[in-house]
Amino acid sequence: MTDSKIFKLMDLIEDIKKVDEMIVLHKKDAGLNFMLSQYEARKTKLTGYLISELNAPPYKSKTSILFLKRFLDKFYTDSSRLSMNEIESNDLRRLEAAL
């Protein structure tokens, strides 16, 4: 990876950290649901871009996939995993069976 690409992705991760901090801040104030949804949408968009960049040639590798797993574990809290557990228990088992 070129230095410029690494710095671009590092800046992207910093942006995601800042948005995540704003999400935590707005979750404390129930009256700011609109802003919370805006920050969550921004985080999803930035995360999607990061995933796309690291999952595309020539950067796609086992290491980049493992990094993405660690990233998702860090930035997506247990509350979002609760709804995913239902999906994982059904759909992902079916996908694993297809392997």
Side-chain angles (χ1 to χ4, degrees), residues 8-47:
K8 181 180 176 183
L9 294 176
M10 288 171 65
D11 286 343
L12 180 61
I13 291 169
E14 283 300 316
D15 290 344
I16 293 169
K17 285 181 181 179
K18 290 175 186 174
V19 171
D20 199 52
E21 290 172 6
M22 295 305 293
I23 289 171
V24 170
L25 180 70
H26 283 74
K27 279 186 177 179
K28 293 177 184 177
D29 189 356
L32 299 174
N33 287 332
F34 175 73
M35 290 301 295
L36 178 61
S37 65
Q38 293 295 312
Y39 284 119
E40 287 174 340
R42 177 84 174 139
K43 180 180 172 184
T44 300
K45 182 178 179 179
L46 293 172
T47 299

Side-chain angles (χ1 to χ4, degrees), residues 7 19-20 34 44 49 54 56-57 59-60 65 70 78 91:
F7 291 132
V19 171
D20 199 52
F34 175 73
T44 300
Y49 182 72
L54 291 176
Y59 310 114
K60 184 177 181 177
I65 299 299
R70 287 183 26 216
D78 291 333
D91 296 339

